[in-house]
Amino acid sequence: MDNANDPANLATRNLLRGQAMQLPCGQAVARAMGLEAIADPLLKIGKAALEGWEGAIPLADIDPGFRDNAPLWFYILAEARYDWFRRATGPCGGGNAEPLALGQVGGRIVAETLVGLAWADPFSYLAQEPNWVPAVGGTDLTMGALIKFALTGAI
């Protein structure tokens, strides 16, 4: 398969799109968010499985041009994998059964995108009632209390 010229290959499309849009590298985005960027040796290629972690190749070992310069799409995936590995092997880790989730950079990008879409939608609560606070019986609810109320009907 010719991944470089295969428009059906999602990885290729994401990397080319990021390059065409001149997206900053993942490390620059992490630093712009006030986070410490993940070190190059920990940005490894591969799936989230314990048996593959040690032998996985860091992106910067493939080409020195990737040192402190990982494409954003790759960085988000590698960040999720690294965070997963730390949790999976931690004191309360579930090994390979540990759930996989986005890391700080990837999670914030998704969250800010969703909030931005809600702000841009003139019919959303965020646009129509930006100061709305959930309340039941005159009591303002925190998010936790709102979820508890939705699930149990009790405050």
Side-chain angles (χ1 to χ4, degrees):
M1 175 187 287
D2 181 10
N3 287 338
N5 295 308
D6 181 7
N9 185 294
L10 181 61
T12 300
R13 286 198 325 258
N14 283 333
L15 291 168
L16 291 174
R17 186 181 304 116
Q19 185 178 34
M21 295 179 74
Q22 298 179 344
L23 294 179
C25 70
Q27 291 92 330
V29 172
R31 286 191 284 273
M33 290 180 173
L35 304 169
E36 185 176 331
I38 297 171
D40 284 331
L42 301 172
L43 293 174
K44 296 182 175 192
I45 296 171
K47 65 180 185 172
L50 293 178
E51 58 274 2
W53 179 260
E54 291 303 323
I57 301 169
L59 180 65
D61 287 0
I62 292 174
D63 187 300
F66 289 123
R67 287 194 184 111
D68 199 39
N69 192 33
L72 182 58
W73 179 75
F74 172 82
Y75 185 91
I76 290 168
L77 294 177
E79 173 192 51
R81 182 177 188 232
Y82 173 63
D83 288 348
W84 171 86
F85 179 77
R86 288 188 328 175
R87 286 191 321 274
T89 57
C92 297
N96 282 328
E98 185 72 26
L100 189 59
L102 289 172
Q104 290 183 299
V105 172
R108 183 168 166 187
I109 288 172
V110 169
E112 288 185 10
T113 298
L114 294 174
V115 169
L117 289 169
W119 272 115
D121 179 358
F123 300 105
S124 75
Y125 250 93
L126 216 49
Q128 291 193 7
E129 296 288 338
N131 296 319
W132 177 79
V133 175
V136 173
T139 303
D140 290 353
L141 302 179
T142 63
M143 182 58 74
L146 178 62
I147 292 170
K148 178 182 176 188
F149 177 74
L151 294 174
T152 67
I155 297 178

